[in-house]
Amino acid sequence: MTPPSDATDTAPDILATPLRALIQRAPVALPATASIRDAAQLMSEQRVSSVLIVEQGVLFGLVTDRDLRNRVVATGIDTQRPVMDVATLAPVCADVEGMAFDALLVMARHNVHHMPVLDGQRVVGMLTANDLTEHNSGSAVYMAGEIHKQTTIEGLQKAVAKVPQLQQSLAAAGASAYGTGHIITTITDAVTTRLLHLAESQLGPPPVDYAWVAAGSQARSEQTAKTDQDNALVLDDSYDEARHGEYFKAFSRQVCDGLHACGYVHCPGDMMAMNDAWRLPRRRWADLFARWIDEPDPKSLMLTCVFFDMRAVHGRSELLGTLRRDVLERTRKQSIFLAYMVGNALSHQPPLGMFNQLTLLRSGEHKGTVDLKHNGIVPIVDLARVCALGGGDESVNTHDRLLHAASGGILSENSSRDLRDALEFLAATRIRHQARQMAQGQPPDNFLSPTEVSNFERSQLKDAFRVVKTLQEVLGQRFQAGRF
């Protein structure tokens, strides 16, 4: 999940930094036979906040200053005991050849502040959240950490209130739209996961396995500070409505209402897990998708557009994984369904008129603007979704789908690259537009006035819209020729 190389940033950005460049010193390590006191003394001498436990070159565990506070001092454990007694075993690690962007997301999602860096099986260094704090995106790690500590809705509201500031900081640092979307979405995932934990704590353990599934922009990791919620529950097939229904009804209501209270407002179309229609066992979901694919109509197309973009956020992820694979196998063989999806993808047209001039909204609250989301980004999302359906691609992120469409022969390399560039430019323009609004105390939206941007940027806008329009025509022609 590395940031796109074809979407360059306008300022030095941690997202594009190789991990190898962040390793400042050799790892500080102890053997497994060392005591807790040995670990504390070594950390003090070396002035580090963690120590690795390594035996014969193999990483066994990790002890941090937080472990010493919470697992030793707070509980009164004898410091002569083996350090392995209080260590985190098999810690989450990063590969030295990876990017800081990937490490950042992993640290935020797992709520960890220390991550060993490996070269194969050999430990070569330690990455800490402090290594990222010099860069604006690093605050995502701390935000996720704060979210995981909260025990009330009020606490979560305060933590999430920093998301607009995070987006503004990322925009000011010139972070790519791809990277910004992943980071903002990671915060949404953290809030969702914490609410699920709180619900389980209040209602008791779930009676059957489940996968809490994000849909829409959260599933695609393309969120900004302005968003509503789209989600669903995929339940194990042992689910019985009579015995388990009340639990999951209360469970999903608590989580969805919690998200709403934190600013992820209820979906206007009611596509949420608290709706009985979107809280189903896996076999029922499979039946729904089969009907939508085999008997396409306008409503089923709309539902497919929402629920084909799904990603498991918490729970038993294989419930969704097996469902998605079955659905993709079915869509590749259904030319009528794909024809409907192509038609739907062509329904959102870029705002270009005669002589490729921008077509502005003529009336209403947003008169004189262009809708960057529905007339720019959504058409690309729709095109990428059709490519994934036609090619059997399990990717959910739009950029990744377009990349795989080229490798799978659905799109040419040039077409794929043009669409990715157009997506990056339009999404980045939207993020900067929203950042300006939030800095001025205004609620963020998707409506850009041409007066906000320079003549050069307006020219780029037209170029991006023209790319979308051209590729829409290409897609339509390809399908009509039966070349999917």
Side-chain angles (χ1 to χ4, degrees):
M1 193 192 297
T2 54
S5 60
D6 52 353
T8 55
D9 297 336
T10 58
D13 185 7
I14 187 66
L15 305 182
T17 303
L19 278 185
R20 191 181 292 278
L22 295 179
I23 302 301
Q24 301 296 321
R25 61 183 297 172
V28 178
L30 281 173
T33 55
S35 69
I36 296 172
R37 180 185 293 275
D38 292 336
Q41 288 177 337
L42 182 61
M43 289 167 64
S44 177
E45 291 169 3
Q46 296 293 323
R47 297 185 178 182
V48 293
S49 57
S50 65
V51 62
L52 297 166
I53 302 171
V54 178
E55 197 70 51
Q56 295 183 344
V58 177
L59 175 66
F60 277 83
L62 164 70
V63 175
T64 69
D65 52 3
R66 184 166 59 176
D67 294 331
L68 295 179
R69 290 195 305 271
N70 297 341
R71 300 177 184 177
V72 179
V73 177
T75 59
I77 288 180
D78 183 356
T79 58
Q80 293 303 320
R81 287 175 57 177
V83 70
M84 290 292 283
D85 289 353
V86 296
T88 298
L89 304 181
V92 177
C93 298
D95 191 288
V96 71
E97 300 302 330
M99 305 294 286
F101 172 63
D102 299 288
L104 168 67
L105 293 182
V106 171
M107 293 174 77
R109 286 171 179 163
H110 290 270
N111 188 28
V112 295
H113 289 68
H114 299 79
M115 192 156 63
V117 180
L118 305 181
D119 185 353
Q121 296 297 316
R122 183 173 62 92
V123 183
V124 295
M126 173 69 75
L127 180 69
T128 72
N130 288 336
D131 295 325
L132 304 174
T133 54
E134 296 177 3
H135 308 271
N136 291 318
S137 54
S139 62
V141 178
Y142 286 99
M143 284 184 65
E146 287 301 306
I147 287 166
H148 284 293
K149 294 176 185 176
Q150 303 308 315
T151 58
T152 65
I153 295 295
E154 291 74 21
L156 284 172
Q157 287 173 325
K158 290 180 181 178
V160 177
K162 300 175 184 177
V163 170
Q165 181 181 350
L166 174 62
Q167 180 169 322
Q168 292 176 63
S169 297
L170 290 167
S176 67
Y178 181 93
T180 299
H182 277 83
I183 291 170
I184 298 295
T185 302
T186 295
I187 301 303
T188 309
D189 288 354
V191 175
T192 304
T193 301
R194 189 60 188 142
L195 286 168
L196 289 163
H197 287 159
L198 292 176
E200 288 187 17
S201 176
Q202 180 175 334
L203 300 174
V208 300
D209 286 342
Y210 71 87
W212 184 275
V213 175
S217 61
Q218 184 182 359
R220 297 191 304 271
S221 296
E222 295 169 2
Q223 288 193 309
T224 66
K226 174 183 171 57
T227 187
D228 57 8
Q229 59 176 290
D230 294 297
N231 46 59
L233 262 180
V234 180
L235 302 163
D236 186 83
D237 280 338
S238 62
Y239 171 81
D240 179 77
E241 176 66 27
R243 290 185 296 152
H244 310 138
E246 285 304 312
Y247 175 94
F248 283 108
K249 186 170 187 175
F251 177 77
S252 56
R253 166 65 71 174
Q254 183 168 325
V255 176
C256 290
D257 285 349
L259 287 168
H260 180 81
C262 291
Y264 306 99
V265 298
H266 288 145
C267 172
D270 204 23
M271 295 184 186
M272 297 173 288
M274 69 181 190
N275 181 340
D276 294 347
W278 313 128
R279 190 175 63 250
L280 302 169
R282 184 201 175 284
R283 65 179 182 278
R284 292 276 305 282
W285 276 107
D287 291 342
L288 273 181
F289 274 106
R291 187 166 72 248
W292 295 341
I293 294 166
D294 295 343
E295 303 172 12
D297 57 34
K299 182 178 180 180
S300 66
L301 289 175
M302 181 269 293
L303 294 171
T304 302
C305 287
V306 173
F307 289 116
F308 182 71
D309 296 355
M310 298 175 83
R311 177 174 56 83
V313 173
H314 184 70
R316 190 175 152 206
S317 59
E318 58 264 33
L319 287 170
L320 177 64
T322 57
L323 175 65
R324 282 183 56 79
R325 285 190 288 274
D326 290 348
V327 169
L328 282 168
E329 184 62 29
R330 196 179 199 98
T331 59
R332 296 180 69 178
K333 303 173 182 178
Q334 289 290 347
S335 59
I336 295 177
F337 170 75
L338 288 173
Y340 273 94
M341 290 298 292
V342 169
N344 180 75
L346 303 182
S347 63
H348 293 98
Q349 291 292 317
L352 287 178
M354 293 182 63
F355 310 112
N356 286 318
Q357 294 302 305
L358 290 176
T359 302
L360 307 181
L361 295 175
R362 297 181 178 179
S363 61
E365 178 185 358
H366 303 291
K367 180 180 179 181
T369 67
V370 293
D371 187 339
L372 291 171
K373 178 180 178 180
H374 289 99
N375 294 118
I377 297 170
V378 167
I380 303 176
V381 171
D382 289 343
L383 288 171
R385 185 184 299 112
V386 171
C387 291
L389 286 165
D393 177 21
E394 292 190 34
S395 301
V396 182
N397 177 265
T398 300
H399 172 276
D400 296 343
R401 283 173 168 173
L402 294 171
L403 197 63
H404 295 157
S407 60
I410 300 294
L411 291 175
S412 70
E413 289 287 349
N414 285 339
S415 294
S416 171
R417 184 167 52 250
D418 286 347
L419 270 179
R420 298 196 311 270
D421 286 346
L423 173 65
E424 174 64 30
F425 178 76
L426 291 171
T429 300
R430 177 193 183 202
I431 288 167
R432 292 193 296 270
H433 163 71
Q434 292 183 351
R436 287 192 294 268
Q437 290 180 309
M438 290 183 287
Q440 296 168 5
Q442 302 171 2
D445 62 31
N446 304 305
F447 300 93
L448 177 76
S449 170
T451 60
E452 284 186 53
V453 296
S454 67
N455 289 334
F456 178 71
E457 289 175 299
R458 282 198 293 275
S459 177
Q460 287 184 300
L461 268 179
K462 295 175 188 177
D463 288 342
F465 290 138
R466 189 158 48 246
V467 166
V468 178
K469 188 172 183 178
T470 299
L471 267 296
Q472 284 181 325
E473 294 170 356
V474 169
L475 182 69
Q477 293 168 3
R478 279 180 62 89
F479 188 83
Q480 288 176 0
R483 293 165 57 198
F484 253 97

